[in-house]
Amino acid sequence: MTSKQSPSKTLHILLWVAQGLLSATLLWASVTKLLKPAAELAAMWPWTAEHRGLVFFTAVLDLAGALGLILPGILRIWPQLTRYAAYGILLLMIVASVFHISRGEANLIGINIVFAAIAAFIAWRR
């Protein structure tokens, strides 16, 4: 029989910091996509001018990911959902990278790679 060891206190704190930072960033992105006027949004992210439906869809995904990283752990309701939220964010970042590369915007995927790495860390340890 194997016993599952709990992560060290330092790792636990690092995970919460990663979850908090990624969640806050996704929440900001979601609110920005939902509330900013289209012209201002297009000035920040040029792809949004051509894909209004995609903007709304990704805003909802960002919001779901942000909540999924934090709420299960805080509320202690199905904490394994945090892992699934992290997998979802990882997938979202991969798809976003492919989208930007297909548009010739490969220089924009750095942040997607960073977020994917943070999400992978969370999924791996939660």
Side-chain angles (χ1 to χ4, degrees):
M1 188 180 285
T2 61
S3 64
K4 189 173 184 179
Q5 294 180 354
S6 62
S8 70
K9 187 174 183 174
T10 303
L11 182 59
H12 183 72
I13 292 169
L14 282 174
L15 283 164
W16 271 109
V17 168
Q19 286 171 239
L21 290 174
L22 188 54
S23 180
T25 305
L26 289 170
L27 185 60
W28 170 82
S30 178
V31 169
T32 300
K33 290 174 186 175
L34 291 172
L35 300 181
K36 269 205 186 273
E40 287 181 43
L41 203 55
M44 287 176 60
W45 299 312
W47 66 269
T48 61
E50 303 165 22
H51 304 283
R52 290 302 305 157
L54 185 60
V55 171
F56 180 77
F57 181 66
T58 58
V60 170
L61 291 177
D62 290 343
L63 181 60
L67 295 176
L69 286 175
I70 299 297
L71 290 181
I74 289 175
L75 300 176
R76 298 184 191 272
I77 299 173
W78 292 347
Q80 67 272 20
L81 289 178
T82 299
R83 174 179 288 148
Y84 298 129
Y87 282 133
I89 294 164
L90 179 59
L91 180 62
L92 177 64
M93 293 302 120
I94 291 169
V95 170
S97 296
V98 169
F99 173 77
H100 287 300
I101 290 169
S102 74
R103 290 177 43 88
E105 302 168 342
N107 60 322
L108 299 178
I109 68 167
I111 194 70
N112 298 111
I113 293 169
V114 170
F115 289 166
I118 295 170
F121 170 66
I122 294 166
W124 173 58
R125 294 308 297 180
R126 287 285 182 209

